[in-house]
């Protein structure tokens, strides 16, 4: 402190130094690292602090590209080799990462089982996620019922599980995973430890690990081509209509309090601050 909030966002280049060749006025750019501070009208930074994104994709898609879709992309690409017809199971499926997982997996030909909390508008949310390409959308309570095993008469058991909730929600994923599969934790919204039964480790040989997109980017700062390639591939999915922005509510910057208050409410959409 003092610090400027905001890890993700989109800016337009206004001026560049005389020796800058990787960006030009008019380009769209997104921050490379966390902590850039996007809740502001303008910034002066090094060209290495940002990465260009194409201007022929929707503004909201560009503004939300650098964190959640990248997290989804890396988890689907880096934790084993997934092939068309394989299955991924995830909790928090309506989160921004969860929505990106659904769409990227669909583009790869991978089935998704998507776990969400029960809520008054459950059917509406289920329909929204299926419109993104979700194969199955299941409430947390249903995941614990025996009839869920009938799913695996139609599709393969999951080779990969993605956990952003923790607690019993994460433990329940282990029950339905394939032998030798992986569970990746990238969040802990429940703020509770994950119960891990010994049988999941001994008899199913499940590998449990974590992922943090910020650390991945920092580990690859020496080779920006990897980050650029990832952003380029995600931008191409957006261009082809296979990856849309998460469900979100645009808010004018002067009404930022509305966005902050929404973060404290259950079942609220992502809010995006718009600076004119």
């Amino acid at each position: 402190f003092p610090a400027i909030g905001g890890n993700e966002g989109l800016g337009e280049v206004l001026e560049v130094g005389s020796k800058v060749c990787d960006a030009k006025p008019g380009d769209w750019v997104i921050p490379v690292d966390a902590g850039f501070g996007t809740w502001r009208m303008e910034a002066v930074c090094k060209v290495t602090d940002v990465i260009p994104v194409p201007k022929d994709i929707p503004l909201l898609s560009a503004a939300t590209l650098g964190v959640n879709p990248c997290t989804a992309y890396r988890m689907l690409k880096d934790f084993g080799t997934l092939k068309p017809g394989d299955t991924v199971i995830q909790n928090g499926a309506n989160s921004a990462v969860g929505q990106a997982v659904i769409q990227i997996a669909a583009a790869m030909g991978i089935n998704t089982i998507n776990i969400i909390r029960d809520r008054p508008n459950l059917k509406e949310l289920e329909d929204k996620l299926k419109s993104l390409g979700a194969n199955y959308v299941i409430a947390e309570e249903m995941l614990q019922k025996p009839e869920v095993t009938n799913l695996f008469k139609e599709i393969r058991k999951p080779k990969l599980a993605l956990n952003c909730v923790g607690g019993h929600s994460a433990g329940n994923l282990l029950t339905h995973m394939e032998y030798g599969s992986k569970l990746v934790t990238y969040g802990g919204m429940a703020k509770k430890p994950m119960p891990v039964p010994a049988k999941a480790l001994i008899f199913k040989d499940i590998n449990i690990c974590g992922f943090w997109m910020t650390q991945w980017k920092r580990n690859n700062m020496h080779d920006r081509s990897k980050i650029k390639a990832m952003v380029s591939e995600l931008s191409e999915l957006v261009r082809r209509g296979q990856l849309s922005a998460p469900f979100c509510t645009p808010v004018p910057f002067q009404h930022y309090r509305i966005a902050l208050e929404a973060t404290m409410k259950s079942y609220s959409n992502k809010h995006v601050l718009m600076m004119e």
Side-chain angles (χ1 to χ4, degrees), residues 159-180:
K159 292 178 66 174
L160 178 66
L162 305 177
N163 164 48
C164 69
V165 178
H168 289 289
S169 175
N172 289 336
L173 298 178
L174 294 168
T175 305
H176 304 288
M177 295 176 66
E178 180 61 274
Y179 177 88

Side-chain angles (χ1 to χ4, degrees), residues 197-214:
K199 64 181 180 181
L201 303 178
I202 299 171
F203 304 120
K204 299 181 76 173
D205 193 28
I206 294 174
N207 183 287
I208 299 173
C209 49
F211 180 73
W212 185 30
M213 189 68 232
T214 297

